[in-house]
Amino acid sequence: MLANIRQSISDWIFRAKAPENPPVTLVQRRIFILPTRQGYTFAFTMLVLLLSSINYALSLGFILTFTLVSMAGVAMLHTWRNLAHLKLRPGRCDPVFAGETAHFGVTVETPALTRFAIAVRRTKDEPVYADVAPAEATPISLPVAATRRGLARCGRLEIFTRYPVGLFHAWSYVDFDLKVIVYPRPDPAAGSPPERSRTATEEGIPVGGDEEFHMLRGYRSGDAPKLIAWKALARGQGLLTKEFSAMASSELWLDWNDAHGADLESRLSVLSQWVIQAERFGQSYGLRIPGVSIPPARGEAHRTRCLEALALFAP
Amino acid sequence: MKPASPHLDFRNVMWLLAAMIFVVAPHLVRLPYWVGVFFLVVVGWRGWNAWAALRHPSGWITAGLTLAATVATWFQYGRIFGREAGVTLLLVMSGLKLLEMRTQREVTLSIYLGFFLVLTNFLFSQSIPLGLYMLVCVWLFVATLVGFNRVGSTPTLVQRLRPAAALLLQSLPLMVAFFILFPRATGPLWALPQDMRAGSTGLSETMTPGNISSLIKSDAVAFRVQFDGDRPAYSKLYWRGPVMTEFDGATWSVGRPSAAGSAYSKREQRTSYTVTLEPHNKTWLFALDVPAVLPSGAYMLNDLEVRDSRPVVERKRYEMSSYLTYRYGEGASPGALRAALRFNEERNPRTIALARQWKSESPDARALLNKAFQFYNRDFTYTLDPPELDRFNPYDDFLFKTRQGFCEHYAGSFALIMRAAGIPARVVTGYQGGEVNPINNELTVRQADAHAWVEIWLPDEGWLRVDPTGAVSPLRVESGVNAALGPIGVIPSLIAADPLGVLSRIRNTWQAMNSQWDQWVVGYDMFKQRQFFSTLGFPSVDWRTLGFWLLAATFVVGGAITLGLLVRDRPPRREAALVAWNRFCAKLAGAGLTRAPGEGPLDFLARVRDARPSLAAEAEEITRRYVEARYGAGATREELRALAQRVRAFRPA
């Protein structure tokens, strides 16, 4: 009860509102600033300096103290300015497999001046620092261990800075509702999809591995390294992927019922491995799990579609 | 982009160590050499540690070093408090703190300690050069702080120094406001250590042949004087200090005079002046012979010695006035006169015998005085390096053997002769003359101007000043010690060798600057503050008003800086490009080339090129820049300004 009230007060103060429409500009009322612990220590040091100056009637001591106190005041403005008017947009949040590290990305832009040591962190996580130069968006990505299949949510982000002298902590919150899809961890012991699931196509010839070179096409991310036309790359033609005619000629159904596992998660892991393998071998494959049926196809988009279905599967 | 490293960056640590050495360097010259060696070794060790990424020394080692340093400090000074001992200990501890520093928090603490070390330097000196040097130290420390807060990237030298300089420069106005407005208190908040102002030179309570000539070699300023009216003649500038009546045969010393002031039976030629006295740790104040009106808190003894109620431990400014022509002490008490006749019969027998012989030859005091002056005038030399004298009979040795001496030799022996001849006499020490700075017309009296003369008592005339040094070296009294002895020390020699007087003008300007600095910066206390506000037209200002002004200044300066920061961070306006382009088109329209409403910039350019080939190059450049700024990658503020400049200079007609 009390925690709820505190949370809602905090939400009200910090104007938590999720998700926000990008881009978010850190205008004045979004930025909060308080002294850091070092700032308080500094204040104590200043007190000692002031008392010593008074006691020993050191005029230059007064000058020193007042210079440093004023410097702290100016530094507060600089710290605030270092954060003010930054423009934030959601960045890349690429899907990962469970067990890997997910990255929540945001991009930061500055209107004119370079901002140094801008930090972004999720609540309680280690911050990531970057310098933000003008004229281009600086990507910042927060690494998070993706432990479980499903949708990993980033939650509210804190963007803060203590530059230039660390006496003040200026911060702002932004919530883009960033999500990373976490695919089921592929089960390395899953083996090949069972024979039974192979379905003859119209040609009726299930083919194994004797593919015939068909054509070169542009590289799509996720294409198996062994399919990359390295010679073409060496000739300076860019990344190209070899496509084989056999890919088009066989078809495979990856079926929930064929994937044996102790529980739901391990079944999904098996299917995940099969999808990866089928795509790697260039086979046309379909996915059938309870409630979802994806007709056979191949290619990056298809693979993503299948893995997403597995990631988001809820019985 | 990278996560914050838990380890301290090597370069950052080096910056901190360098800043520390900078701030401690002036101390290393002042303190015992082992302190410097200890500090540098510890800092070197830390640097090596950071460079080689070694493990930190164990807590036992640092604890052991701490103990050793404390014990060493105790042995050096016999205590661990006080100025020198305290600074030594602080320095040693700072070194050890650097050694064991491993977290960001400890780094910050070390930097704050550095700021405190800056302050400790001011305990020893508040001169302009040291102030500037310490400003550089503060700059280095702030730059170090900036470096440590540049998490995620390694800043260049400029990227450290520039933001630090910007911070300090922008804090300047507020600092000045605080310095002027912050209410000053009187007196220390807690007891000052005994040796707070140690090391200041000056006159002492005793005078033995040789101890004033050691002062002469010091170029240090004793006090500065600003006369209200005309400056008296050089030979009148006798600055009266401690008066010595007690005499044991070798050493003259201050007696136990009563506080009852003497009545002047004649007082003329009153002159008023302000003295800025350097701290000398003693109570006496200096005044021209003889003091008329005393500053508040001061009192005068019956031998006309002016004393302050407390030792002068910080620079003191007081107003004073004196009578240059006077007569006093005719009615001196028999006790006081008896004290001024006392001497040790067993020491300096030849001197005493000579005095008695003169006395029998010429019973008249005036005649006796003349005899003595002639004696001194005959074959004595005025020198800064007199030979060593016999310990037991120094004046016999001086008068009959060496015959080379400095003012204390002459004054001491002369006073002894007078006493032995039955004339009450005493030695007065102080300063004679001074150096006039033509820039601000101020008289600077240095330790080198230290002097000793004699006062004798005659029944109808009271106490009379006689200066036996004048008999030997009249130049000393008329033009100063440099004229009498030739330039002493490096700087006066250089100035004497400079025919155009450039050096002496530089020296005078520098001294005038120092004087202003001492008065308005170093000496800015409660009184100065009041004086300053009353010249501004606010005779009575209480702390509430000061506080209000401070607050107002803070807001004004803070607002100005915020505005400045925001203006610099404004994104360049693309509309500026359009404004320039429209102006360009208008200029061409004036020359008969009007852009059609739907005509694109490049089409228009092609038409301009065909119609007016002479304008082609410039028109092309302007169009290219406009298209780039408005439809391309955009432009910085400088580029937009350059575009506007070009359009302004464009002359199609």
Side-chain angles (χ1 to χ4, degrees), chain B residues 148-166:
Chain B
F148 273 105
N149 281 286
R150 267 288 295 270
V151 193
S153 56
T154 308
T156 60
L157 182 81
V158 175
Q159 281 179 333
R160 286 172 203 265
L161 289 176
R162 244 189 80 134

Side-chain angles (χ1 to χ4, degrees), chain B residues 450-590:
Chain B
H451 192 48
W453 60 93
V454 178
E455 276 184 334
I456 59 168
W457 186 88
L458 298 179
D460 299 328
E461 299 173 68
W463 288 103
L464 279 180
R465 180 173 67 219
V466 284
D467 192 348
T469 312
V472 180
S473 171
L475 265 180
R476 167 69 185 88
V477 178
E478 280 153 28
S479 327
V481 67
N482 278 349
L485 288 172
I488 306 157
V490 179
I491 293 171
S493 313
L494 275 176
I495 287 171
D498 172 29
L500 291 174
V502 175
L503 282 177
S504 84
R505 211 171 318 141
I506 291 174
R507 191 182 192 224
N508 285 336
T509 312
W510 172 242
Q511 278 172 2
M513 255 169 72
N514 268 320
S515 172
Q516 290 297 315
W517 171 263
D518 286 347
Q519 273 185 44
W520 286 104
V521 179
V522 178
Y524 190 78
D525 57 3
M526 200 170 81
F527 303 103
K528 256 316 199 227
Q529 198 173 28
R530 268 191 209 146
Q531 190 190 333
F532 179 68
F533 285 125
S534 56
T535 54
L536 287 183
F538 303 97
S540 59
V541 176
D542 62 351
W543 63 268
R544 240 180 264 114
T545 321
L546 290 179
F548 173 75
W549 285 357
L550 261 183
L551 210 65
T554 309
F555 276 111
V556 169
V557 172
I561 291 174
T562 311
L563 216 63
L565 288 178
L566 290 181
V567 164
R568 281 190 57 219
D569 202 27
R570 239 178 6 191
R573 290 179 18 239
R574 288 190 172 216
E575 297 79 58
L578 188 62
V579 170
W581 173 251
N582 285 339
R583 196 165 168 188
F584 170 70
C585 293
K587 280 189 170 184
L588 281 173

Side-chain angles (χ1 to χ4, degrees), chain A residues 37 55 59-60 78 115 131, chain B residues 105 153 189-190 521 569:
Chain A
R37 193 164 66 162
N55 199 52
S59 269
L60 294 199
H78 278 247
R115 315 299 184 86
D131 293 345
Chain B
R105 213 173 75 81
S153 56
L189 301 174
W190 63 87
V521 179
D569 202 27

